Every structure is written in structure tokens, then in C-alpha cells.
Amino acid sequence: MIALPLGQIAEILRGELRLHASDTADTVVDGVVDTDSREMTPGAIFVAKPGETTDGHRFVPAAADAGAVLAIVERPVEAPITQIVVADAVTALADLAREVVARVRAAGRLRIVGITGSNGKTTTKNFLARILSDEGETVAPVRSYNNEVGAPLTMLRVTPDTRYLVSEFGAAGRGSIARLAGLVEPDVSVVLMVGLAHAGGFGGIEQTALAKSELVSAARADGTAVLNVDDPRVWAMRRIAEERGMSVVGFGQHPDAEVRADRIEVASDGTTAAIIVDGEETPLRLQVLGAHHVHNALAAIAAARVLGVPVADSISRLETVRIAERWRMQPMGSDRVRIINDAYNASPDSMAAALRTLAQISGPGERTVAVLGAMSELGETAGEEHDRIGLLAVRLNIQRIVVVGPEARRLYLAAVGEGSWDGEAVHLPDQDAAFEYLRHELRDGDRVLVKSSNSAGLRHLGDRLGESFS
């Protein structure tokens, strides 16, 4: 975090400053800010956030022992550390992030990009951070820090020298993106797609679209909206941008896209496409598997272009990215048995994209095996969406379909009903059973996809398989 006196921090948070030892209101702090006491380093700031299973106030003494010099708390704690007592720790975290980013922005050249979408946020964030990091100091979320805690923690990592802040915004419900993006008012707002991920929590896909459009509404009025032309719900958001006086840049495969991809091809060693901007064509060869990642690359190229990065530079930097993120189309195993661990999360759209990639990368003599778990947060559409994925897997001629867990049983039944029987599709109760089955079932030449929502936990099964067949 930027250097701030304790007294000023207390004023920003509208809290009560309770000094410890020789600290005064003029004592300056500038350490990392985190809600995890295990992440404390000398000079750090600990935010004691109450949680669902534990309470951060229990860990204030541990944070102090680790070198933290300030704790933001909702009640005083007996510990040798200066504390600021606030009404709500999460709100205080947001208030601090807003002020820190505003000060850095006012003092320097900081440009801010916000990214949202039902799928692809983390990959696009990583792609864009890779492009921008060669231009200047760039701050981007670790993992998927995109909620009411993770997003402000990322914002608080900016320094006076930071040139770019890339923020990823997830939606817990209507209004959540507006609140988070409103903390920083992005210069560039990127909306990737509107899909069925989390649609159950929003009340349908149209409500999901409204939630994602909040990023465009929260951007600076002189900013730019980077929108997916191939998704009608996203492209319709250009009206919001135009009404606010913003510029609009479209990306996709549609002829109207300013940043466009053509001739997308997927192979076992990566994904290729032709990128077309202003009539000029540049080849792109991603090491990352999957045609859907070309759209994420387009979004990153378009956002970087708004910020002044030439398309050729963006492409050359993207070609150095080996994996999008851990557990996202992550190649594991060996040439003998290739495991693709894509089980960090799953929605109907991403599940379908991963299955198509599996079908595309298999060559003669190679068998396709899909290890599939449940997709979460789909509400009343869950049953029919699991049915649809089971049907798709069979129609793509996936040769072995291994369904794991009771929540995914309908996927198995749909596959059997479509013709995947006589051992081609199996249903197993848990990860251990699946691992034992696959340990004996897999053979040389198999190409294996492991895919599920985070809650199903198949990413750990993917890791076990990757190690077993390495």
C-alpha cells in the first residue's frame, strides 16, 4: 500500500484510532494489506474480517507476532498492535482501497481496466497483465480475487509507480459489480460474455446481463467499453456506453468487430488464429488450449490497444503464456497420457467449450476421455443443463465419459440415454473411486479432460491423475 499516516487512515475509515507503544497519529505505514494473518510480513496491515466459519479477530495476535503494525477491527482486541476500530471491516477495506487508488491516480499516470463476464475473467486478466507488464508496473489480482474482499485487496497493492491496475469483477448479485467498480471507475471496461454461470443466483440470464452491464455504467464517462460483438447481450451494452459518452470497441469473430479473429484452429500443442485489426492480419499462436481462449486473447488485445499498445506487441507477449491459470486447461501427465485439468470452475458454456477442445485435439489412435463433475449455481436450469452436456459429450464422440458425484448423475443418465452405454459411460460416487477406476482404465494415447465446478473439487483429482501419469 502507499505510505499513509495512521491518523489519516483512521479518518478515511471513519474509525477510532487506538495507538500502541510509541505509535502516534503521524506514524506512517505502507505494508501489505490482507485478511489472512498467514500473509503478514513486517509492516503489514491486518484486516480482521468476520467470516462464516471463523472470525479474523481471533488472529490479530498472530498477525502482530508476524510483524503487522496495524489491525483494522470491528472491536478492540487484546494484542500488542495499533488498532483502528470500525463499524464494518469489509466496508473499511473498500473505503481504504477507494482512497488509495484515487491518490495514486491523481498523482501519476495510473490507468485502470475492469473485466467481467460469466466465463473467461481470470484468463483475460492474466493475458492483459502479461501484455501490460512490459509497458510499466502492473497490478492484477492473484488467482480469482474478484469479490468484495479480493478486489479491494488487489487495489491496495498499487504504488506511486503503478501504471496499470487490472481489476477482475465477479457478481454475487445485482449491484455488486457496481459497488466494486465504483471504487475505481475504470478507464476501460471489458465485458466478455453473458452465460448461465451463477444464473440461478440472479434469477435468469437476463438478470445476469443486467448485473454484468453495471461495469459499463460504473466506468469513467470519458472511458472505453470493450465488448464482445459475438454475444448479443454484451453487444447491446454499447447503448449504455454511448449514452454516457464513452467510446466502444468490439471484439470477436463477427465482421463488425474492430479486433477480430479468423481461422481458429486447435491442436494438442496450442491454438492458432489470424487476428485482424484495421485490415491488417497478424498470426497468433497461443500455447493455451481451446478456441474459447482466442476470444479472451481478443479482449486483452483490444483493451491493450485502447491503452496504446500495438497489436503486434500484444500478440508476441501473449504467445509466451504457457497456461491461463492453474486448473484452467492446464496440461499435465505426459505425451503417453495427457491430462487437461480444467476443474477450477464450470458453467454450461465453459463445459461445452472444454469438451469441444478435447474432441479437437485428439488424433488418430488417441482416445478421448471426459471426467466430469457437477456444475453449480444453475438454479432451476441445473437438470436440463446437465442433460445438455451429457448429450453433447456423446455427440462429440467422446469415447469414455466418467461422471463423478451424485450431483452430476443426470449428466451420466443423459449420456447413456443418447447411446453411451456398454461401459462407454460410467458413474462413480466420489474422487477416490474415480481415481482407482481411471488408474486402471487409462492407456497410452488417451487424452483426458477433467472438468467440474470448484465445489465438486475435481481439480484435485486432476492433480492426482497428472502426477500418476507423469
Side-chain angles (χ1 to χ4, degrees):
M1 190 186 76
I2 64 172
L4 288 172
L6 290 169
Q8 285 191 25
I9 297 175
E11 290 178 11
I12 293 165
L13 305 186
R14 298 182 296 280
E16 176 194 353
L17 179 61
R18 299 169 69 95
L19 296 166
H20 171 71
S22 61
D23 284 346
T24 71
D26 293 325
T27 299
V28 173
V29 296
D30 61 356
V32 299
V33 183
D34 212 300
T35 59
D36 188 339
S37 60
R38 295 168 296 184
E39 298 296 322
M40 294 294 98
T41 56
I45 299 169
F46 178 62
V47 182
K49 180 182 74 70
E52 294 180 3
T53 58
T54 189
D55 187 342
H57 293 79
R58 293 175 51 200
F59 302 99
V60 172
D65 290 344
V69 296
L70 172 64
I72 297 170
V73 298
E74 294 181 1
R75 61 180 184 274
V77 176
E78 193 65 37
I81 186 172
T82 291
Q83 300 170 42
I84 297 176
V85 184
V86 298
D88 184 286
V90 174
T91 299
L93 183 64
D95 289 342
L96 185 59
R98 178 192 291 110
E99 181 66 21
V100 165
V101 172
R103 291 191 183 203
V104 174
R105 194 178 218 161
R109 300 179 297 163
L110 179 64
R111 303 290 299 281
I112 300 171
V113 182
I115 300 171
T116 194
S118 297
N119 299 113
K121 294 184 294 295
T122 300
T123 299
T124 304
K125 171 263 297 184
N126 288 339
F127 281 169
L128 183 57
R130 173 63 191 92
I131 293 169
L132 296 178
S133 62
D134 281 5
E135 300 292 315
E137 182 179 300
T138 299
V139 170
V142 294
R143 298 184 294 277
S144 291
Y145 271 29
N146 61 24
N147 62 11
E148 63 179 358
V149 173
L153 288 178
T154 299
M155 296 168 189
L156 285 166
R157 288 169 45 213
V158 301
T159 73
D161 296 324
T162 302
R163 188 170 175 188
Y164 302 105
L165 168 63
V166 181
S167 288
E168 177 185 338
F169 298 119
R174 287 290 305 277
S176 60
I177 291 178
R179 286 192 295 274
L180 292 175
L183 298 176
V184 294
E185 297 183 343
D187 300 283
V188 182
S189 293
V190 181
V191 185
L192 301 170
M193 65 173 297
V194 175
L196 287 169
H198 316 300
F202 289 98
I205 196 165
E206 298 303 333
Q207 292 301 310
T208 303
L210 289 173
K212 302 301 182 186
S213 72
E214 292 171 5
L215 180 56
V216 180
S217 299
R220 293 170 71 97
D222 60 352
T224 301
V226 175
L227 305 175
N228 182 358
V229 183
D230 298 337
D231 187 325
R233 292 183 177 87
V234 174
W235 190 230
M237 297 177 194
R238 70 188 185 280
R239 301 186 185 95
I240 299 173
E242 289 166 350
E243 288 171 359
R244 301 188 67 237
M246 298 172 64
S247 302
V248 176
V249 174
F251 68 90
Q253 292 180 265
H254 192 281
D256 290 343
E258 292 181 45
V259 179
R260 184 164 64 89
D262 194 13
R263 302 193 302 280
I264 300 173
E265 295 183 8
V266 181
S268 60
D269 60 347
T271 309
T272 62
I275 307 301
I276 304 167
V277 181
D278 294 334
E280 293 190 12
E281 186 174 301
T282 308
L284 167 69
R285 183 175 185 82
L286 291 174
Q287 297 184 62
V288 181
L289 296 176
H292 52 298
H293 286 311
V294 173
H295 274 73
N296 299 331
L298 287 174
I301 292 167
R305 183 168 176 260
V306 171
L307 296 171
V309 181
V311 171
D313 289 350
S314 292
I315 289 175
S316 65
R317 295 166 194 174
L318 288 177
E319 291 180 334
T320 68
V321 178
R322 295 188 61 243
I323 63 170
E325 180 94 345
R326 188 181 180 192
W327 300 317
R328 285 178 168 88
M329 299 302 287
Q330 181 179 1
M332 307 179 77
S334 64
D335 289 339
R336 184 171 67 87
V337 177
R338 175 64 66 196
I339 311 295
I340 303 170
N341 193 349
D342 193 34
Y344 185 83
N345 224 329
S347 69
D349 297 305
S350 67
M351 185 78 84
L355 285 170
R356 291 190 182 98
T357 299
L358 176 64
Q360 290 168 330
I361 66 172
S362 61
E366 296 177 342
R367 186 176 62 159
T368 52
V369 181
V371 184
L372 307 176
M375 300 176 288
S376 62
E377 300 183 59
L378 296 178
E380 61 184 18
T381 68
E384 64 187 74
E385 291 302 327
H386 282 87
D387 290 347
R388 188 169 70 85
I389 293 303
L391 296 176
L392 177 64
V394 177
R395 291 169 184 174
L396 289 171
N397 196 31
I398 304 301
Q399 291 151 290
R400 286 290 184 272
I401 302 171
V402 181
V403 181
V404 184
E407 296 84 0
R409 182 171 174 79
R410 277 192 63 164
L411 195 161
Y412 162 74
L413 294 174
V416 170
E418 186 66 10
S420 187
W421 43 272
D422 193 24
E424 293 173 356
V426 297
H427 180 251
L428 299 166
D430 54 40
Q431 291 188 49
D432 288 338
F435 178 73
E436 287 304 314
Y437 170 81
L438 290 162
R439 191 164 62 88
H440 295 96
E441 171 67 19
L442 296 181
R443 65 193 190 202
D444 287 3
D446 281 353
R447 299 295 177 254
V448 186
L449 169 72
V450 183
K451 181 73 173 171
S452 75
S453 279
N454 204 331
S455 58
L458 294 199
R459 62 195 184 280
H460 304 302
L461 173 61
D463 286 344
R464 291 172 70 186
L465 292 170
E467 182 177 350
S468 180
F469 289 96
S470 63

